[in-house]
Amino acid sequence: MCGIVGYVGPRAATPIILEGLKRLEYRGYDSAGLAVIEQNGAIAVRRDAGKLTNLMARVQEAPVEGRIGVGHTRWATHGPPTPYNAHPHRDRTGHFVVVQNGIVENFLPLRNQLIAEGFTFGSDTDTEVIVQLISREFDRCRDLETAVRRALSLLQGPSAVVVLSSHEPDKLVVARLGNAGAVVLGYGEGEMFVASDIPAILEHTRRMAFLENREMAVVRADGVAYMDLDGQPIEPKPIHDIPWDPIAAVKGPYRHFMQKEIFDQPQAITDTIRGRLDFVTGEVRLDELNLSPQLARSLHKVTIVACGTSYYAGLVGKYLIENLARIPVEVDYGSEYRYRNPILDDRTLVLAITQSGETVDTLAALDEARRHHAPTAAIVNVVGSQAARVADGVIYMQAGPEIGVASTKAYTTSLVDLLLLAMYLGQQRGRLDGDASLRLASEIAMLPDLAGRVLEQDTHYQALAQRFANYHNFLYLGRGIHYPTAREGALKLKEISYIHAEGYPAGEMKHGPIALIDENMPTVAVALRDGVYEKMISQIEQVKARKGLVLALVNPGDDGVAAKADALIEVPKASVWVSPVLAVIPLQLFAYHIAVWRGCDVDQPRNLAKSVTVE
Ligand code: AGP
């Protein structure tokens, strides 16, 4: 997942580009570069492998000044992370540069064809094929937009590109081919911005538009011309007013974005609820969901599709919707759903859960649903993202930008959205009466405060983390609605501390995993006082009988589990419907502190990217 920042306007482009790339650091990268058209009309390029500070040093050594340019942070797909493989890539004449997000799946035959025509290549990347094709087509048509369109028509695979040319130095040509991640156009006063993600340009403008598949934009300081890849003009894209606070896209007093976003959760949950729940009647309003009472009553199945943490939120959603609305729910990984020829009809709601709104496997699942004319919806955080646009309706997480690769506030706000959705469906289908709705509404109203109380125990979680930081394997156990809590807790630990951890339904212990238990494999057990509490006690006893260490999540005043566990985390008592929001927070901080203790790169864990836009 690469980062792109472009600028055209009256100001110096270089600092805007570098600051924007800095805001995209969380996307993960292994090299970076920028290109600017200087006052003399030539394109200057600076690139380097490694962290952004290396590129900044190159720019410091040899400054580049101009008022139009583009920058890129690369996540290597073809060719090692070296300075010559870093973007921007330039054609042999030096009159064209390109940055790209995505993959040219047919780059080898194209490269061979170009070599046969006498072109030479300076990198191992697929991207360089694009700029050489543009250069060749420009020689034939002498028009930049046409040359870009012709070059893109030869590509297979998803690509988002930004093209700069000294032949036409007043414009950036931007295009999106398939699901290669967002292409954001920022509208300033007499200046324009291009980015692969909102935070990169949020400090300059909140007015943003989003390119869709097979669309192109010619971006000048005074505005944008939109067209399709056949060259036909299209309606200007709607300009969204992004409700995010630019401050949210910076760490502030926190050491990591992940830490900030964990502590953001009381505010994020408050924002998620805002305007959707009448606390007097308990009625839920989800206007953007675009799901009529008639359709809500006619549904005979809900299929939730998601990946990673969002998938675990979906597992909680199954409990909520099946219990509160009495509709059967299946939950599937986007990567599985898209290839299993699912049974779909117009009374099956396909619900995508995706923080970024750009996860290619989840988007493919939505496409599959639309092919079968099934109603679709998306629980999504990023306004204007692909999922938000292609789904029939949306429930925004309203969590603010989530920068840390490990998802935290997106998970808890997804759970709140799922609870609101379950209530809405239950109310529309006559399954949830006024009293029950009011009880739930009062539970939800207490969530931000209860989440704040959980966060107050952070020093305790830090002490526990230091006690458990040197183990190499963990088992996380939960039952019922907390089985997904166990899965998500395990994922947090493994993805930022690189410790192996498995989340398991506690009842499955005796069917295999118990063979793993010994003094070297701690077990984290979610044992809150709910309908399966007694069962959890026996599971904990089974672990203890095999010399396993147990860290148990309990409600205050618990004496049953407390006598058996080796360490405790207290979670405020709350109804089963909201307790998954509270129980996950200590597990987020437990994982965070272990990762920090182990010296891991918390915000940019190895091998991971914030949004997986390639298969
Ligand atoms: C979560 O901590 C991971 N970073 C990852 O599993 C993530 O949840 C997954 O890639 C889905 O992303 P999405 O919600 O943006 O679709």
Side-chain angles (χ1 to χ4, degrees), residues 282-364:
E283 187 193 1
V284 171
R285 286 178 55 86
L286 297 171
D287 299 336
E288 294 173 299
L289 179 60
N290 200 18
L291 189 73
S292 68
Q294 295 74 14
L295 179 56
R297 285 192 287 273
S298 74
L299 293 177
H300 66 168
K301 184 165 83 169
V302 174
T303 295
I304 297 175
V305 286
C307 302
T309 286
S310 295
Y311 170 82
Y312 301 140
L315 292 178
V316 175
K318 172 181 172 68
Y319 285 99
L320 297 173
I321 295 169
E322 288 192 341
N323 280 283
L324 298 177
R326 304 307 292 161
I327 306 174
V329 179
E330 65 173 1
V331 189
D332 206 345
Y333 288 108
S335 53
E336 289 298 312
Y337 187 78
R338 65 188 295 191
Y339 295 116
R340 67 174 172 82
N341 189 21
I343 298 167
L344 271 170
D345 60 27
D346 60 3
R347 293 173 57 209
T348 299
L349 173 66
V350 176
L351 171 66
I353 303 175
T354 169
Q355 189 283 134
S356 61
E358 300 292 348
T359 299
V360 67
D361 289 324
T362 305
L363 293 174

Side-chain angles (χ1 to χ4, degrees), residues 482-511:
H482 286 300
Y483 156 50
T485 305
R487 296 287 300 272
E488 170 59 10
L491 175 62
K492 287 284 95 49
L493 184 68
K494 65 184 136 190
E495 70 173 329
I496 62 173
S497 68
Y498 316 144
I499 294 173
H500 173 247
E502 278 198 74
Y504 242 89
E508 275 294 294
M509 274 282 285
K510 51 192 173 299
H511 299 286

Side-chain angles (χ1 to χ4, degrees), residues 479 481-482 485 525-534 536-537 540 552-556 558 561 569-576 578-584:
R479 288 187 84 121
I481 206 167
H482 286 300
T485 305
V526 184
L528 306 184
R529 281 194 178 281
D530 53 23
V532 287
Y533 173 73
E534 301 302 334
M536 282 307 296
I537 288 188
I540 290 169
L553 274 69
V554 295
N555 288 131
D558 182 299
V561 171
I569 287 177
E570 287 197 346
V571 177
K573 184 79 179 96
S575 81
V576 67
V578 298
S579 61
V581 175
L582 303 174
V584 76

Side-chain angles (χ1 to χ4, degrees), residues 33 125 137 165 316 337 369 381 384 396 455 477 543 579 586 588 593:
T125 69
E137 293 310 319
S165 172
V316 175
Y337 187 78
N381 195 35
Y396 281 113
L455 291 167
L477 299 179
V543 173
S579 61
Q588 294 167 345
H593 288 305

Side-chain angles (χ1 to χ4, degrees), residues 68-89:
I68 179 170
V70 66
H72 185 273
T73 50
R74 178 175 182 245
W75 183 254
T77 53
H78 292 70
T82 60
Y84 63 84
N85 280 335
H87 301 208
H89 287 288

